[in-house]
Amino acid sequence: RKEVEQDPGPFNVPEGATVAFNCTYSNSASQSFFWYRQDCRKEPKLLMSVYSSGNEDGRFTAQLNRASQYISLLIRDSKLSDSATYLCVVNYPRSGNTGKLIFGQGTTLQVKP
Amino acid sequence: DAGVTQSPTHLIKTRGQQVTLRCSPKSGHDTVSWYQQALGQGPQFIFQYYEEEERQRGNFPDRFSGHQFPNYSSELNVNALLLGDSALYLCASSLGVRDSPLHFGNGTRLTVT
């Protein structure tokens, strides 16, 4: 089983649509979760951290389900500019240290006019 | 406020050669992580440096080695290059060994022929 798994898509949606991505992780000891966005041929950039109680940032909502070991990202009212690859990131802790941040394969979103 | 800078931007090498990639972290950051990103894949964790020591390592062979200098900058060295080493190499900096979000450089695109 991969450490972090995402459906690569692509997800093709019209402007204004609501779209959701899920990501599963294998290490139950993971404590930190993030969503990054990566535009074509650019570096990944932090979109948002994911907190236990769930959190929202404008049109973006992130949720964490520890019992099922998955995180989700919901995008409301999609814009053309939301077209990108969304990377799920999970830490793999090691005792006495932070461990390493592991990326999923990424989910590609294409928002159409 | 200088972000993460990487050099060179692009590099073409021949199979069997050696390469050194360089990274300067974002101002105020002391931890550097290196990732390899093949086309269509998420970034794969190579290793992490903190206090001039390798703290974490991913599933990469010993041909991949690194170094961190007292000014927190870092190098990634790859020996005996293989065609499969062709990828985008991303450097990311963060603060401390806790799971603070990563800030990425623009990457070095390595092509091995």
Side-chain angles (χ1 to χ4, degrees), chain B residues 23-100:
Chain B
C23 171
S24 292
K26 178 180 167 67
S27 178
H29 285 181
D30 55 10
T31 302
V32 173
S33 302
W34 286 92
Y35 288 82
Q36 178 196 67
Q37 188 173 26
L39 205 59
Q41 301 296 316
Q44 298 294 307
F45 178 77
I46 303 175
F47 41 53
Q48 177 192 74
Y49 277 85
Y50 174 71
E51 291 186 334
E52 301 179 51
E53 290 187 14
E54 183 182 292
R55 299 291 178 158
Q56 291 284 337
R57 190 177 182 93
N59 296 323
F60 280 79
D62 292 344
R63 300 186 297 108
F64 289 76
S65 63
H67 190 78
Q68 185 180 35
F69 299 94
N71 66 353
Y72 309 120
S73 66
S74 177
E75 288 182 349
L76 163 66
N77 301 292
V78 187
N79 294 323
L81 285 167
L82 304 174
L83 296 179
D85 294 331
S86 295
L88 179 67
Y89 287 85
L90 292 161
C91 170
S93 72
S94 55
L95 181 60
V97 289
R98 288 297 170 192
D99 297 321
S100 58

Side-chain angles (χ1 to χ4, degrees), chain A residues 31-32 34 91-93 98-101, chain B residues 95-101:
Chain A
Q31 294 293 325
S32 300
F34 307 92
N91 88 311
Y92 271 67
T98 182
K100 51 192 178 184
L101 290 178
Chain B
L95 181 60
V97 289
R98 288 297 170 192
D99 297 321
S100 58

Side-chain angles (χ1 to χ4, degrees), chain A residues 59-105:
Chain A
R59 298 181 292 108
F60 298 84
T61 300
Q63 296 279 351
L64 168 64
N65 185 319
R66 287 189 186 275
S68 300
Q69 292 181 207
Y70 79 81
I71 66 174
S72 64
L73 177 68
L74 181 78
I75 305 176
R76 291 182 299 277
D77 188 23
S78 299
K79 311 290 185 191
L80 294 176
S81 58
D82 293 334
S83 298
T85 296
Y86 291 83
L87 297 159
C88 169
V89 184
V90 177
N91 88 311
Y92 271 67
R94 193 180 78 178
S95 60
N97 204 323
T98 182
K100 51 192 178 184
L101 290 178
I102 301 299
F103 284 70
Q105 178 182 358

Side-chain angles (χ1 to χ4, degrees), chain B residues 7-8 11 13 18-22 75-78:
Chain B
S7 63
L11 202 52
K13 289 285 189 178
Q18 177 265 342
V19 68
T20 297
L21 311 182
R22 295 178 175 82
E75 288 182 349
L76 163 66
N77 301 292
V78 187

Side-chain angles (χ1 to χ4, degrees), chain A residues 17-75:
Chain A
T18 296
V19 62
F21 310 135
N22 285 336
C23 163
T24 58
Y25 60 95
S26 61
N27 190 329
S28 60
S30 294
Q31 294 293 325
S32 300
F33 309 89
F34 307 92
W35 283 101
Y36 278 72
R37 169 191 169 130
Q38 186 172 28
D39 294 294
C40 189
R41 302 186 74 82
K42 299 282 191 180
E43 75 276 17
K45 292 185 178 177
L46 178 67
L47 179 65
M48 59 196 302
S49 301
V50 185
Y51 302 120
S52 297
S53 55
N55 49 297
E56 190 173 302
D57 183 1
R59 298 181 292 108
F60 298 84
T61 300
Q63 296 279 351
L64 168 64
N65 185 319
R66 287 189 186 275
S68 300
Q69 292 181 207
Y70 79 81
I71 66 174
S72 64
L73 177 68
L74 181 78
I75 305 176

